[in-house]
Amino acid sequence: MSDFRAELGDIPVDDHPRIVQQRSRDHYWYSPVLKAKLDHVTAEIVVSPRSNDEVKTVLAAAYKHGVAITPRGAGTGNYGQAMPLAGGAMLNLMNMDKVLDIKSDRVRAQAGAVMEQIDNQTKAAVGGELRFHPSTYRMASIGGFIAGGSGGVGSVRWGGLRNLGSILGLKVITCEAEPRELDLEGEDILKVAHAYGTNGIIVEAEMPLTASYDWVDMVVGFDDFMEAARFGREVAAQDSLLVKEVSVYAAPIPEAYFNRHKPYLKDGQSVVLLMVAPVALAAMSLFISHHKGDLRYRSDTASAEELKRLPPVYELAWNHTTLRALKVDPTITYLQTRYPSLEHLEKMTSMLGDELPMHIEVTRQDGNVTLSGLPLLRYTTEARLDEIVALHEANGCDVFNPHRYTLEEGGMKRTDQKQLDFKRQADPTGRLNPGKMIAWENPDFDFKAGKAWLFNGLNPVGPA
Amino acid sequence: MSDFRAELGDIPVDDHPRIVQQRSRDHYWYSPVLKAKLDHVTAEIVVSPRSNDEVKTVLAAAYKHGVAITPRGAGTGNYGQAMPLAGGAMLNLMNMDKVLDIKSDRVRAQAGAVMEQIDNQTKAAVGGELRFHPSTYRMASIGGFIAGGSGGVGSVRWGGLRNLGSILGLKVITCEAEPRELDLEGEDILKVAHAYGTNGIIVEAEMPLTASYDWVDMVVGFDDFMEAARFGREVAAQDSLLVKEVSVYAAPIPEAYFNRHKPYLKDGQSVVLLMVAPVALAAMSLFISHHKGDLRYRSDTASAEELKRLPPVYELAWNHTTLRALKVDPTITYLQTRYPSLEHLEKMTSMLGDELPMHIEVTRQDGNVTLSGLPLLRYTTEARLDEIVALHEANGCDVFNPHRYTLEEGGMKRTDQKQLDFKRQADPTGRLNPGKMIAWENPDFDFKAGKAWLFNGLNPVGPA
């Protein structure tokens, strides 16, 4: 490690144990399973380059001296993406936060630029904004979102990050004797998007912009959860009703966990959260009353004092829901699911009841309005968690397991050959984020056997 | 009629027979059935008011003297919407063509404003454009589109004109002793949208704007029609790939009727026409090559000379396809259909072959990618036309018959109670566009009997 440090020149480095420990954490602790496995994990130092050249210097040194590198944005991921399983160095990219170029329909920024900051600049310059962002919009970096995210607020209209056209270009730096800058476009983007930084360090991203709006937050109550879900699905199917967020929460989630909004809620109601374009407000009000929705709150008529006190609804949504529940009840965790129809959703909610308080994010996938689930889970044991996953699968509902820290187990449950091939070129010695790509570590792993994979480095006293 | 004229003051009036005849026509003649029924129809004069007050003067005079009023924009409708079945006066609204107000997300214009002109102004002012327009964009008025249209270029993303939120507000003038100006919002809009001006004269419209783009035209060839259709459907299902137009044409439509584009086409190929946002071009090129499409033309790399010579692709699409075919072969007409799936489409095309050269407009309806058909039809007899309609219906494919001049027969085949109720208030003596709303003329008409309704006024020598 000292040989590695000696090559870094004046690149900022931090080895204060508390800082390093802090920067060695993402939001893996939403999962009790990941918490048990990863709590002891830490890097040795944090390196914070300020330019592409400095990133190259770091990666050349890591290659030369065999130091593991775990890239990190704001550390807001939930799957242990940014947990340094093999120790080594955290590569903090938040000093590389410049917006490089704004055009009428696209923006190019450094990886560490915070998404809200990007939008502030593009709104001012061209009246445009990013198509989607995670609920951690005010903290998360664009590079981290691309490396570890899949969609979010805006997915109800624009689909997912991995869809063709959602990312226009990426610049990545390889980990070799002489690190290269590679500009990826078109389908090459999928080689490194959502690869957790295992096969190249994303240093710049070019993203499409869409027209920006002063989105209006709405909270709509329904006495029955399935009425709320039906309404949510219907809203998203109205092509003419411009929305950026539609999500559905079964009682008692709202009253129990949406603390600041509590004065606006009615106990026992399930709730739909909306972000609505001003141009769609009149039509939306009508649509809500047609569906006998109970409009509990709308930000366009709120007082300045209310607006100051209340978080935007996107900070109740996506994994902020889980975060807010965890703050109240530390035994809670969550699942990621997909319900093929309202009937599937109804079956699973009636089967699991309050053990799985339901949270639906309505999205578009391949042109279809889709019920993506982020249900809370009143956690008891890992065995029961696995049972609930199996129950979903037995009933034709997909589960994307957020209690796994590898790319494959949380995602498609198979090797992504393009990502693996690219890692062979861009990180031939496996320095980058070790332990996250099973295909690299153990090409023979049997995804169908149903056992979680354990990275050797996590078990230093003996083989897994 | 002279009493009526005497009340008009200096409002421009024209009674030159050739002019009146010309202005008494829309594009009803796309249908041989309508052509036979409506060819003799003409008004007696054309009145061209320049303000809301002048419209009121005209309508008060019509009310008082029992003169039929047929409102008219550019006369680009295809269903005889603007044919003066009962004679009387044409109300030409093209002198009322001002854009009244532009905001960042909406525009308010007079009914006679031409859509391309509106867009020119909104693009310059706020970088916005109308969500959709007909293929007659460069001629058609916004009022005519709302009164007689249902969607068009842009419907692949935004759905239809009658969807909630597609029209923000309308100002209509009633036909009474003292005509009133009524401002309609929310669902009241549906009382007069697509009512052919039978229950109030639309004089102003407020419409949502969306971000404007320099849309790129593309022509993509496929050796097999079903491959083209599959590609068209898939493109529209890519939420991340921003398009404004996706349409599919079976061979030999392109080579036979797209004359100016002929140098770019390959004989025997079926074709998909696209309008693509510049931000989606790279992804679209990739998507085309994945689908083994043959990219025959793209406007972003065309020379200035080519761009001058070639019409925009939207002037090959929607009912411009029919128009171009009719210019080459006057025996051709068309149908309006909807195919629930690619399998339905394949079945009907293989069943009807070259008697029904297929033309699909890919649209969104209720959140779903939809195959809307505007197939050409090699017309022989009305009996055979009815047979083809029946064949569609027997195979689970909807037909919206464009060979009918009434609201109900071309549309939902039932009374629209809201439109009828509104006519009772806004046009109590039935002066406005007589003969177009069956529910008004003959409340007992049986839509299920399968017989076309005939307006009495069309048959002046005896009862229908």
Side-chain angles (χ1 to χ4, degrees):
Chain A
M1 181 57 67
S2 58
D3 294 344
F4 169 72
R5 287 191 64 160
E7 311 231 7
L8 301 183
D10 69 345
I11 300 173
V13 169
D14 205 318
D15 60 4
H16 187 289
R18 224 179 45 205
I19 301 287
V20 175
Q21 165 86 2
Q22 222 177 59
R23 293 290 163 91
S24 297
R25 255 118 200 77
D26 61 18
H27 288 193
Y28 71 103
W29 48 269
Y30 286 20
S31 159
V33 179
L34 295 183
K35 187 166 166 54
K37 286 189 176 133
L38 304 182
D39 238 7
H40 67 284
V41 159
T42 185
E44 295 168 62
I45 60 167
V46 179
V47 190
S48 304
R50 294 156 300 190
S51 67
N52 293 349
D53 283 343
E54 290 190 353
V55 172
K56 284 187 199 166
T57 302
V58 176
L59 295 182
Y63 179 85
K64 188 166 164 193
H65 301 291
V67 172
I69 293 285
T70 303
R72 186 186 201 275
T76 54
N78 306 113
Y79 316 125
Q81 294 105 313
M83 297 298 287
L85 303 189
M90 293 306 297
L91 184 69
N92 166 33
L93 291 154
M94 297 304 277
N95 283 344
M96 294 174 61
D97 63 354
K98 280 190 268 304
V99 175
L100 301 169
D101 187 34
I102 300 174
K103 295 210 161 57
S104 66
D105 60 359
R106 64 195 76 197
V107 60
R108 191 169 185 91
Q110 287 187 301
V114 171
M115 272 174 280
E116 189 188 38
Q117 301 299 324
I118 296 175
D119 272 2
N120 286 344
Q121 291 194 42
T122 55
K123 281 177 196 177
V126 297
E129 65 184 26
L130 295 167
R131 288 176 172 178
F132 28 55
H133 63 72
S135 65
T136 51
Y137 181 50
R138 302 206 262 193
M139 294 173 278
S141 69
I142 186 71
F145 186 43
I146 290 168
S150 56
V153 180
S155 285
V156 67
R157 187 139 194 105
W158 291 103
L161 255 182
R162 285 177 66 91
N163 290 151
L164 205 58
S166 292
I167 303 169
L168 299 177
L170 295 176
K171 188 189 282 293
V172 300
I173 296 183
T174 63
C175 188
E176 302 173 277
E178 289 185 25
R180 292 170 292 158
E181 282 184 22
L182 301 178
D183 283 297
L184 305 182
E185 289 179 3
E187 66 193 324
D188 287 345
I189 286 164
L190 295 186
K191 295 175 179 173
V192 298
H194 202 80
Y196 294 179
T198 55
N199 58 7
I201 301 300
I202 298 170
V203 290
E204 287 176 21
E206 187 165 316
M207 305 293 283
L209 296 176
T210 182
S212 69
Y213 294 93
D214 293 325
W215 299 98
V216 173
D217 286 352
M218 285 188 172
V219 180
V220 188
F222 291 87
D223 290 335
D224 174 71
F225 170 70
M226 284 309 298
E227 276 173 39
R230 229 180 308 278
F231 170 78
R233 208 204 161 287
E234 283 287 305
V235 164
Q238 301 298 309
D239 306 297
S240 52
L241 226 48
L242 189 56
V243 291
K244 189 166 184 174
E245 167 71 11
V246 179
S247 45
V248 187
Y249 306 82
I253 293 177
E255 63 201 77
Y257 309 126
F258 296 170
N259 286 341
R260 303 262 185 111
H261 283 82
K262 198 150 184 200
Y264 305 90
L265 304 174
K266 192 170 150 193
D267 275 7
Q269 277 190 341
S270 292
V271 144
V272 177
L273 300 182
L274 301 170
M275 285 170 67
V276 185
V279 76
L281 280 179
M284 183 62 84
S285 302
L286 210 60
F287 199 74
I288 291 169
S289 74
H290 277 192
H291 281 77
K292 304 195 188 342
D294 181 8
L295 183 50
R296 309 292 305 177
Y297 171 75
R298 55 190 289 174
S299 63
D300 60 329
T301 56
S303 69
E305 188 275 317
E306 283 174 299
L307 290 175
K308 206 174 149 188
R309 178 164 40 87
L310 295 170
V313 295
Y314 65 75
E315 288 186 355
L316 305 177
W318 293 88
N319 250 329
H320 261 76
T321 314
T322 319
L323 177 62
R324 287 177 191 279
L326 270 167
K327 280 185 183 167
V328 175
D329 176 357
T331 68
I332 274 184
T333 186
Y334 73 116
L335 271 188
Q336 285 182 203
T337 56
R338 186 165 55 196
Y339 302 98
S341 70
L342 287 166
E343 289 67 36
H344 286 81
L345 174 62
E346 186 160 26
K347 186 165 184 196
M348 297 313 294
T349 49
S350 65
M351 197 183 286
L352 291 161
D354 195 54
E355 188 180 5
L356 195 83
M358 189 50 71
H359 164 198
I360 295 293
E361 292 288 341
V362 188
T363 61
R364 294 239 180 191
Q365 290 182 16
D366 300 324
N368 299 314
V369 176
T370 301
L371 303 169
S372 299
L374 276 174
L376 300 180
L377 172 63
R378 301 196 192 276
Y379 184 74
T380 48
T381 64
E382 195 171 345
R384 177 58 184 161
L385 169 65
D386 290 342
E387 222 168 83
I388 292 171
V389 169
L391 258 180
H392 272 78
E393 289 170 346
N395 283 283
C397 306
D398 297 319
V399 177
F400 308 90
N401 197 332
H403 304 285
R404 298 287 183 270
Y405 55 79
T406 62
L407 281 167
E408 295 95 333
E409 292 168 296
M412 292 295 122
K413 287 161 195 143
R414 54 175 171 74
T415 296
D416 185 322
Q417 195 61 44
K418 281 182 190 166
Q419 291 191 346
L420 175 60
D421 290 345
F422 192 72
K423 185 169 174 73
R424 289 185 177 128
Q425 295 168 37
D427 179 29
T429 54
R431 299 283 186 269
L432 300 181
N433 212 348
K436 303 295 171 59
M437 188 193 280
I438 297 179
W440 176 266
E441 313 278 348
N442 179 3
D444 301 323
F445 182 73
D446 179 7
F447 291 105
K448 300 215 171 91
K451 279 183 71 175
W453 183 72
L454 184 68
F455 176 54
N456 240 324
L458 282 182
N459 200 358
V461 290
Chain B
M1 181 57 68
S2 58
D3 294 343
F4 170 72
R5 286 191 66 159
E7 311 231 7
L8 301 183
D10 69 345
I11 300 172
V13 170
D14 205 319
D15 60 3
H16 187 288
R18 226 179 44 207
I19 301 286
V20 175
Q21 166 86 1
Q22 221 177 59
R23 293 291 164 91
S24 297
R25 253 116 199 79
D26 61 17
H27 288 194
Y28 72 101
W29 48 269
Y30 285 20
S31 160
V33 179
L34 294 184
K35 187 165 164 53
K37 285 189 176 134
L38 304 183
D39 238 6
H40 68 283
V41 159
T42 186
E44 294 168 62
I45 59 168
V46 179
V47 190
S48 303
R50 295 157 298 191
S51 68
N52 293 348
D53 282 343
E54 289 189 353
V55 172
K56 283 186 199 167
T57 301
V58 176
L59 295 182
Y63 179 86
K64 189 167 162 190
H65 300 290
V67 172
I69 294 285
T70 302
R72 185 183 201 276
T76 54
N78 305 113
Y79 316 124
Q81 295 104 312
M83 297 297 287
L85 304 189
M90 293 305 296
L91 184 68
N92 166 33
L93 291 154
M94 296 304 276
N95 281 345
M96 293 173 62
D97 62 353
K98 280 189 268 307
V99 175
L100 300 170
D101 186 35
I102 300 175
K103 294 211 162 57
S104 64
D105 60 359
R106 63 195 76 197
V107 59
R108 191 170 185 90
Q110 287 187 302
V114 170
M115 271 174 281
E116 189 188 39
Q117 301 300 323
I118 295 175
D119 272 2
N120 286 345
Q121 291 194 42
T122 56
K123 280 177 196 175
V126 296
E129 66 184 25
L130 295 168
R131 288 177 173 178
F132 28 56
H133 63 73
S135 66
T136 50
Y137 181 51
R138 302 205 263 192
M139 292 172 279
S141 68
I142 187 70
F145 186 44
I146 291 168
S150 56
V153 179
S155 285
V156 67
R157 189 141 192 101
W158 291 103
L161 255 183
R162 285 178 65 92
N163 290 150
L164 205 57
S166 291
I167 303 169
L168 299 178
L170 295 176
K171 188 191 282 291
V172 301
I173 297 182
T174 62
C175 188
E176 303 172 277
E178 291 185 24
R180 291 169 293 157
E181 283 184 22
L182 301 178
D183 283 298
L184 306 182
E185 289 180 2
E187 66 193 324
D188 286 345
I189 286 165
L190 295 185
K191 294 175 179 174
V192 298
H194 202 80
Y196 294 179
T198 54
N199 57 8
I201 301 301
I202 298 171
V203 290
E204 288 176 21
E206 188 165 314
M207 304 294 283
L209 296 175
T210 182
S212 69
Y213 294 92
D214 293 325
W215 298 99
V216 173
D217 286 352
M218 286 188 170
V219 180
V220 188
F222 291 86
D223 291 336
D224 175 71
F225 169 70
M226 283 309 298
E227 276 173 39
R230 230 180 307 278
F231 169 78
R233 210 204 161 285
E234 283 287 305
V235 164
Q238 300 298 310
D239 306 297
S240 52
L241 227 49
L242 189 56
V243 290
K244 190 165 180 171
E245 167 71 12
V246 179
S247 46
V248 188
Y249 306 81
I253 293 176
E255 63 200 77
Y257 310 126
F258 295 170
N259 286 341
R260 304 263 185 111
H261 282 81
K262 198 152 183 198
Y264 306 90
L265 304 175
K266 191 170 151 192
D267 275 6
Q269 278 190 339
S270 292
V271 143
V272 177
L273 300 182
L274 301 170
M275 286 170 66
V276 185
V279 76
L281 279 179
M284 183 62 83
S285 302
L286 210 61
F287 199 74
I288 291 169
S289 74
H290 277 193
H291 281 77
K292 303 197 189 337
D294 181 8
L295 182 51
R296 309 293 305 176
Y297 170 75
R298 53 189 292 174
S299 63
D300 60 329
T301 57
S303 69
E305 188 275 316
E306 283 174 300
L307 290 175
K308 207 174 149 187
R309 179 164 38 89
L310 295 169
V313 295
Y314 66 74
E315 288 186 354
L316 305 177
W318 293 88
N319 250 330
H320 262 76
T321 313
T322 318
L323 176 62
R324 287 177 190 282
L326 269 167
K327 280 185 183 167
V328 175
D329 177 356
T331 69
I332 274 185
T333 186
Y334 74 115
L335 271 188
Q336 285 182 202
T337 56
R338 185 164 57 195
Y339 301 98
S341 71
L342 286 165
E343 290 66 38
H344 286 81
L345 174 61
E346 185 160 27
K347 186 166 184 193
M348 296 315 293
T349 49
S350 64
M351 197 183 286
L352 291 161
D354 196 53
E355 187 180 3
L356 194 82
M358 190 49 71
H359 165 199
I360 295 291
E361 292 288 340
V362 188
T363 61
R364 294 239 179 189
Q365 289 181 18
D366 300 325
N368 299 313
V369 175
T370 302
L371 304 169
S372 299
L374 276 173
L376 300 180
L377 172 64
R378 301 195 193 278
Y379 185 74
T380 47
T381 63
E382 195 172 344
R384 177 59 184 161
L385 169 65
D386 289 344
E387 222 168 81
I388 292 172
V389 169
L391 259 180
H392 272 78
E393 290 171 344
N395 282 282
C397 306
D398 297 319
V399 177
F400 309 89
N401 197 330
H403 305 285
R404 299 287 182 269
Y405 54 80
T406 62
L407 280 167
E408 293 96 333
E409 291 167 297
M412 292 297 122
K413 289 163 194 139
R414 54 175 171 73
T415 296
D416 185 323
Q417 195 61 43
K418 281 182 190 166
Q419 290 191 346
L420 176 59
D421 290 345
F422 193 71
K423 185 168 174 73
R424 289 187 177 128
Q425 294 168 37
D427 179 30
T429 54
R431 300 283 185 267
L432 299 181
N433 212 349
K436 303 295 171 62
M437 188 192 281
I438 298 179
W440 176 266
E441 313 278 347
N442 178 1
D444 301 324
F445 182 72
D446 178 8
F447 291 105
K448 300 212 172 93
K451 280 183 71 173
W453 184 72
L454 185 68
F455 176 54
N456 241 326
L458 282 182
N459 201 357
V461 289

